[in-house]
Amino acid sequence: HLRALNVKSESLDNIHYRLMADAHKRRLSYEEIAIEFNNYKIRRKGYQTWTVRNVRTRWAALNRVEGKRNQQEFTAVSEASDLRRSA
């Protein structure tokens, strides 16, 4: 229904990253995160339930993606800065 209203939906990666980062800030263990995600019915790809193992795996994958994104942003800013200096 949200798409009909032209509301951009947040990607599953962004939702998972935001929720897991919040859970880590609250110092939850992987087991506690899995329980919380299952209780709140946080969707997984493939509609599977959350386990300790796949919470850990998902967090590691999301951190790799976030690290690459941050590196790309840093590189773009650095290149823009270099262009301004040479002009």
Side-chain angles (χ1 to χ4, degrees):
H1 295 51
L2 289 177
R3 288 178 195 241
L5 299 172
N6 286 330
V7 175
K8 186 177 178 183
S9 63
E10 187 176 6
S11 78
L12 203 52
D13 284 349
N14 288 343
I15 292 168
H16 289 168
Y17 184 83
R18 183 173 41 82
L19 293 174
M20 285 187 185
D22 177 66
H24 282 285
K25 285 179 189 172
R26 293 184 287 134
R27 300 195 179 277
L28 297 182
S29 68
Y30 290 124
E31 181 179 15
E32 291 167 323
I33 294 170
I35 291 167
E36 187 172 282
F37 280 20
N38 288 324
N39 287 342
Y40 286 110
K41 298 184 181 2
I42 305 300
R43 199 179 100 196
R44 270 191 72 211
K45 292 179 182 178
Y47 300 97
Q48 301 166 2
T49 58
W50 290 95
T51 65
V52 172
R53 183 177 184 182
N54 54 44
V55 167
R56 185 182 309 118
T57 301
R58 185 74 172 128
W59 180 240
L62 290 169
N63 276 320
R64 281 192 299 275
V65 169
E66 190 64 23
K68 287 180 185 177
R69 183 179 303 147
N70 289 339
Q71 182 60 39
Q72 289 170 345
E73 289 173 5
F74 175 78
T75 301
V77 168
S78 180
E79 288 172 354
S81 177
D82 290 345
L83 286 174
R84 280 190 295 250
R85 277 191 231 135
S86 65

